[in-house]
Amino acid sequence: MILAEIYELQNNEKEAFRYYNYFLKRAETPGSLDDRFYEKLGDYYFKRGDYKNALEAYQAGLGQTVNELKIVRTHIALKNYKEALELYPPR
């Protein structure tokens, strides 16, 4: 995963995406990748405006590192306002 992050920092989207996909395909079972991986993948997709895939990655990694605010933010970007409000209602 470090290589994917390095390529991302270098703005080499093609190689970063290749390594993120490599890790996804090598996962033996759902849930075998840690939450941090899914958070980084979600961040990668979100930065590129691919909100649907970002939401899927964040939801897969929902746990210790992926916080619900990232999921709410992604729902808002997708104009899923009802879902965003359900997760984070006004106080």
Side-chain angles (χ1 to χ4, degrees):
M1 187 168 79
I2 292 172
L3 284 175
E5 293 177 26
I6 290 170
Y7 282 122
E8 189 175 355
L9 288 171
Q10 294 173 339
N11 292 319
N12 188 338
E13 292 181 29
K14 182 179 177 182
E15 287 300 309
F17 186 70
R18 187 168 75 90
Y19 277 96
Y20 281 127
N21 274 326
Y22 170 82
F23 285 108
L24 273 178
K25 290 177 184 175
R26 298 301 179 266
E28 293 177 17
T29 58
S32 64
L33 295 172
D34 68 9
D35 295 343
R36 185 171 176 272
F37 171 80
Y38 288 109
E39 179 181 27
K40 294 297 290 179
L41 183 62
D43 291 346
Y44 174 82
Y45 283 130
F46 192 92
K47 281 190 253 182
R48 281 138 191 86
D50 187 350
Y51 304 121
K52 181 180 178 282
N53 281 320
L55 182 61
E56 288 176 12
Y58 288 143
Q59 288 173 330
L62 185 59
Q64 291 181 338
T65 61
V66 178
N67 84 37
E68 282 188 346
L69 287 178
K70 288 189 177 190
I71 294 174
V72 170
R73 179 183 68 170
T74 306
H75 274 302
I76 291 169
L78 288 167
K79 298 182 181 174
N80 298 338
Y81 303 118
K82 181 181 174 190
E83 289 86 347
L85 286 171
E86 287 173 2
L87 288 171
Y88 201 77
R91 301 190 197 291

